[in-house]
Every structure is written in structure tokens, then in C-alpha cells.
Amino acid sequence: MNEYKKIEEKWQKRWADEHVFEASNNSEKPKYYVLVEFPYPSGSGLHVGHVRSYSALDSLARMKRRQGYNVLFPMGWDAFGAPAEQYAIKNHIHPSLAVKENIKTFKSQIESLGISFDWSREFSTTDPEYYKWTQWQFLKFYEHGMAYKAKKDINWCPNCKTGLSNEDAAGGVCERCGSKVVQKEKEQWMLRMSDYAESLIDGLKDTNFAEKIKLGQINWIGKSTGAEVNFKIKDTDEKIIVYTTRCDTLFGATFMVLAPEHPILEKLKDKIKNMDEVIKYQKYAKEKTTFERTELVKEKTGVKLEGITAINPVNNEPVEVWIGDYVMMGYGTGAIMAVPAHDERDYEFAKKYNIPIIQVIEGGDIDKEAYTGDGIHINSGFLDGLNKEDAINKMIEFLKENNLGNEKVNYRLQDWIFSRQRFWGEPIPLVYCDNCGWVPVKEEELPVLLPDVAEYEPTDDGESPLAKITDWVNTTCPKCGAHARRETDTMPNWAGSSWYFLRYMDAHNDKDFASQEALKYWGKVDWYNGGMEHTTRHLLYARFWNQFLYNIGLVPNSEPINTRVSHGMILGANNEKMSKSKGNVVNPDDIVNEFGADTLRTYEMFIGDYEKDAAWSTDSLKGCRRFLDRVIRLQNKLNDKDGYTDEVIVHKTIKKVTNDILNMKYNTAVSSLMILTGAYEKEESITKDDYKVLLSLLNPIAPHITEELNEQNKLGEMLAKMPWPTYDEEKTISNTFEIGVQVNGKLRGSIITNEGESNEEILKKVYELDNIKRNIEGKTIIKEIVIPNKIVNIVIK
RNA sequence: GCACGUGUGGCGGAAUUGGUAGACGCACUAGACUUAGGAUCUAGCGGUUAGUUCCAUGGGGGUUCAAGUCCCUCCACGUGCACCA
């Protein structure tokens, strides 16, 4: 065991024994809530990527504590989900056992890094004491009509045998196993997340997320403003409602396209002459996965509904009606008006099936392609002569007045499919009674525990493994006492992580998910770090969940998080994502054992821009170890003097490190400490104050070795409890400057100037430089630019 | 296709927001100390030149006394969303 490791274990124990990092729920100090995403404790153990974000936020938490804040910096485990279940299936043991083991490993790994987590608030989403409240909150959704069961064509993973949310099936493949997702009709519990679309956009203004994170949220919600237009079907009472963002082109609508599964087809089936063909096409479309349907390269297909004609509401012209799989039932109304002259997709379709194309906006060459730009409207009756924006407004007025349609906002965000056909998740706490229908489990009966069995295989018919456990399924109705059956679906992995940050505020409360006092005291998460891959979905789910709790009066803020940051990945030395198969995985344990946790932490802070990916380099890591060794050696040159040997560099460094930690510029914080160390090395000897301030500033990054050096040299109390150094702005500025001297913008020399020196004095020095004399010889000086403390530029001709 | 990012030495990356480009570290070279060094110290380290000479921040153009930084344009790479009507 290396010397570093011994020291590290000593201090880890000391901090724990003295409860140094435990936050208080009633403190006079201002609060500060620092949060890192809790990990999924996988079997492969901690990744060096975890170390990066934990170290980074640890340095923030440690600094904030020393600046006088009551800091909450908790850690827990997001442990429901497929991997633990897969492991359980294979080995016929309960997933909770595997989870327990993995948590143990993860925790000891994190502890060996000396991260200042408040372990007194630790929990796992799989603890019954925790998921009781996840279930309780689900019942709140249910009580408020926000949870409902619906038969839906859902994304189905035939390999995992489970339903997936749209989010989990992005790209048409199962996020977990990569299998092709197919459509399957199933009853699913849904949360009315789409009701919150507008408020999820709106709430972003109350956050301090990075612009690109806000944008990710906005794009995912996918708001679009347009209009719904009613098209009557000739010789029937039926109408088809379409959604369009370009109602100004209505005069150019020559056909309509319905999604193949559009419900109106059923109503019109007697009138459709080619129903055989239609049914055949519907089958064809259904067999395809969403992914194949949305493949861009694919040629458009469709079937004309023979015998059906719609009427264009603005000019009463007949309009052909088609079905085509390029129209999705899940967006808008599942029907579009097609304007081939001004929409690329409609253009392609019209060309293929020889449907008339009418240009209604000037511009482009519609013999070749659709024109989608702005322009003057033509062939458009009362819109003629208007541009796009005016035409849209006028058309909406017209539609409203004539009862033909309305303005309409649409969102891509859909309701959250909340059912999973899995064993290892929170059971949905409802029972079905033949008399009473769905009935919530009584609050005092929560949590609905997962049964203790040994078979976890999902069934082929799409039921949860829980369905086979009849002892568990059979129960009595909480309302009427008759025989009833438990819901066997469980919640998605995202459920437990949607509110865990609230639980940390009052982690062991058995009366409530957290007391109102605790929720009020801690308020929002001040600083939340996580991976870029979670910035859209997890954040959206958590915000939705919290907004709902806010609306029913259970939490004090509608937005739960103030600042959100995300770290870049640590890649393998070959610049590729670390993976076992590529053999480029670095195990943090090995690094801690060989070089020490402080070295690893310092290196990962120094590795580069925190938000960007960075490749691992053991050579650079060694450089950081060398740096710490140099800091250790400095203790041999302490003298008996007081104060700082060089005030300017010390105050500058305090300022730099303080601001850099706040601004996530950890790499330059480390670099400025290296510079300070280098400056000390050049001195004959340094004072204890010099040394102490270096250790003090380095402490949030390399906490163990700095504590040890501080103690051994009797510099003062434990650094973790020592107030953070402050700087004096005036003392950060030196009173002499070496500034560059340019001639016509080209550097020709440099001079030393003093603070407050006049331009005349400066220029006098400039013209004494040989190289300046040489360069201006025989030329006319046009201008002399003197920027004090920065630069001099002589313009000549 | 749309949106957002990013392009700086051999490498990771700095640059007080328009003011001496390459901080800091790695790698490398030479030297010192040494039985030895993969320890430590000292010096050097973008290219080029006789030269503090000239050229250099993806390419081209522009604004300015001054551009890595601002504007226009093109190129390359990355990420997200994707037939969104």
C-alpha cells in the first residue's frame, strides 16, 4: 500500500467519526444544495467517469462549506431496472441481493475517493421505505386524474418483453438491448405529461440551466403553432380535421392524407370502394416499426380512398383522400392537408401518384421541387398579394369566422407510458375489483412490497412476471372487500429518480416523503450535475413530477433545480468510449491503490474542459502525482516569518481558485495552484502562511494530503473546518507590468511600466528601445496608442 | 434535412472577453547530481530565418491602431432531434 493511501484512509475515518460533512436541517447558516446524479450501481463497479463529476462537485461542496454555508451534498442509489433483474433471472436469486452487493462495492469505492457526501442521508430507490413514497406519489397522480389506463399501440421490445416509452424507444430500437421495437396493443398506465407541455417550457425561465440544456428540453417538447382545419366529406356528415402550420396554403391543398390507422376509416368503410386494398395497406403499415416508417430514404407509399371526396373549405373544390404511412397517428390529428407545391413530402407523393399541384406562393420552380419559402400569395382568393405571416393570420380569422377551424398549438411531447412488464420495479399500487374497478391501495398498506420469489422471467404474452405469482396477485378490494387482483405492471426506472432529490432533504422520515419544513428549508437544488445523456429526459420527468407536486401543494417550488451542469465523458486512452470489449477501461480502484485518490482527483479536475469529453492519459496522471509530491516537499522550506512572501501571487491565486471552482473551470484552478507551487519553489524559504494558503486552496481538490500536511506542520485546525481564504481585490494587482510594444500591430519589444505612470513616461521608455528606434527610423509616426498596463502600439507610415 | 456545438504546437489544453497567442501539464531534447535512475534539479521545446526576420489559432474575405476573440462566407468533425404536417 502506498503512503498516500494510508493517509487517505486515516482522514476518511476522521471525517466520518467527526461527522464533518453531515448537513443540518436546522441551521442559522445559509443553505446550499449540491447534487450529483445518483448512480445505477452496476456490477462492473465505479467508472472513472463517476470520479470526474463527484470530484468536481465535491470541490464545490467543500469550498461552500468553508465559505459558511450549510451544504447538503447527498448520495444514494438508483437501483431498480433491467441489469439487476437479468442477473437475478440468470442466477435465480432475488435482485435485491445483487443490488445489495453492488451498492456495497460502489460505496466503498466512493469512500476511498474521499468525496464529502453526507452518508447519513443515503438510500436506494429499491428500499421499501423509499418506494413506499414513490407509490404514494403515484396515487396522488391517480387521485388527481393524472394517471389513467389506456389501450395503446405501444413500443414493444420483443427481447426484453416489455413496453417502452417513446423516449426509451428512440430511433426505433430498445434502449436497453438494442432490439428492434415493434408495435403492440396493450393496456398501459399513462401519466398526463402532455398537459404540462406548456408549463414545462414556461418553467425554464425560472431555472438557470445552460442554454443548450434548455434548448434540448424545448425541442423534446416540440411546440408548434398552427391551425386545425375541418374538411367535410362529400355526401356524408363526417369531417376530417387536419393540423397544419401553413394554413395560408390552403388554396393549394389538392389532396389529404390520413394515417393508416385513422379511426374515420372504420366509419367510412361502407363508402370506400377499395376497402380490401385499404386493409391490406393497414396491415403492411402495422408490421413496420416506427423506425422503418420514419426512415427518410424510403419512398412514399399510400392508397387512395376510392369513392371518398373531401371538400376544400375555402374554395369548395373537391379534394382526394389518401392514406399513407408518412402521416403519423400520434402527432396532430393524424391527418394532413397536402399542399404539394409548398411541402417537400406532399410534392414527392403528388408526383408519384399524379395528383394536381397548384402553386399558391410566388417563388421557386415547382416543376422541379416544392417551394417552401416565403412569398406573395397567388391563386388564393382573399389571400392574394399577402406574405406568409399576414396570410396565416388572415386565414385563421377566416376559419374562425366561418366555423371551419381554429388556431391550434401542438406538442410532440406525449403522455408518459408509465407501465413496465417487469419484476424489478415499484409495483403500481392499485387493485382491480370486478365491482369497483380500479381501486388504490390504502395509504396505510403501502408500500406494496415485491414478493420474495426466485423466478423473474417475463411472459411471452406481455404480462409482468408478477402475474404468475398468484399469492401475490390475489387480494381483496380495499373498497368493498370482494376478491380483487393486484396490478402486476411496475413503474419505469425513471420513477424513482424523478423525486429522489426531495427525499434527501429528510431522508428517514416515515410519516411523509419529506416534511414540509425540510422541503421549505432546502428549497431548490442549487447545483445539479449529471451526464449529458440525462439532460433531456430525466430532467423533464423530474420537472414534470415536481410541478405536479407543486400544483397539489406538496412542494414549495414549481421548479426543483436552479443550475444544471453536465460533465463530459472520460474516454479511453485511444479516444474511444471505455468498454470491456475494447480493453480500454480504467478501474479507479487500481489508480487509487497505485497513485492515491488525491492524485486521481487532481488529474480528473486537470484533464480539460469539464463539459467536454477527454481521453485518459496515465502519463498526465503521473504529472499530477508529481505536482502533489512537490507540494509535500515544500514543507521542508518553511521559515519562522509571518504573512505572505509575495502578496500579489497569493491573492491572485485565491481569487482564481475561488472563481474557477464556482465556474467549473477546475483545470485552470489546478493550473493556478501549480503556478503558486512553482513560485514557492523559487523562494529561498516560505512562511507558514504561504504554505497554509496553498494547502487550504488545494484542499477541495486533494483533501487528504492537504489535511495531513496541515496537521503535520501544525498550521491550524482541520482544513475541512477552516474558513475559506479570502482575497483583497487591490492586492491581486501588481504595481509593475511588463507590457508589449508594437509597431503597426507587430510586436517589437517590451517595457516595464509602473501603476499610474503617465503616457509620456511610458512613451519615453518605448522610444529608448533599440528595436523600436530601428523600426521607426525614417518613418512618420501617425498615432501612438497607449493602453496602460496592457500594450503600446506605434502606428507609422 | 433542421437545431446546437467544436476546430489553437507532437498531445491534453490556456488566453483577464478586442490588447505580448501557446499559461499549466504531458511527451520530447540537452545538461547536472548519481553505482543506477522510470527519482530530483537546470535549460530548451509552433514553424522559419543571418536576424525580435517572416509565417502561424480549419480555409477565404472584411471591420480595427490592434482579431484566436467581432462580421460575412466556405470546409471538416461532433452531438441531439428527425416524414412533426
Side-chain angles (χ1 to χ4, degrees), chain A residues 720-738:
Chain A
K721 297 177 180 173
M722 190 186 282
W724 185 250
T726 53
Y727 61 92
D728 191 340
E729 184 68 46
E730 280 178 15
K731 289 183 182 161
T732 63
I733 302 157
S734 107
N735 42 18
T736 62
F737 304 87
E738 190 186 356

Side-chain angles (χ1 to χ4, degrees), chain A residues 98 160 284 458 530 540 571 587 641 694-695:
Chain A
C160 300
Y284 155 84
L540 210 52
L571 305 170
N587 182 345
K641 293 180 196 154
L694 169 64
L695 297 178

Side-chain angles (χ1 to χ4, degrees), chain A residues 457-526:
Chain A
E457 292 277 5
T459 63
D460 285 315
D461 60 4
E463 288 304 315
S464 159
L466 289 170
K468 288 184 295 194
I469 306 167
T470 44
D471 285 0
W472 185 83
V473 172
N474 290 321
T475 184
T476 51
C477 172
K479 215 173 184 177
C480 72
H483 173 256
R485 293 170 54 83
R486 287 190 193 282
E487 171 59 62
T488 59
D489 286 354
T490 56
M491 300 186 199
N493 208 196
W494 305 101
S497 57
S498 290
W499 72 280
Y500 74 111
F501 44 90
L502 300 173
R503 183 66 178 171
Y504 284 137
M505 298 174 183
D506 192 9
H508 305 299
N509 191 327
D510 58 359
K511 307 270 183 314
D512 213 338
F513 67 92
S515 74
Q516 285 302 309
E517 296 76 58
L519 290 163
K520 278 200 193 93
Y521 176 74
W522 290 109
K524 292 185 185 184
V525 175
D526 291 284

Side-chain angles (χ1 to χ4, degrees), chain A residues 63-77:
Chain A
M63 181 175 83
K64 280 281 172 186
R65 268 189 217 102
R66 294 179 50 197
Q67 286 177 329
Y69 290 88
N70 181 30
V71 172
L72 175 55
F73 186 39
M75 180 42 73
W77 316 100

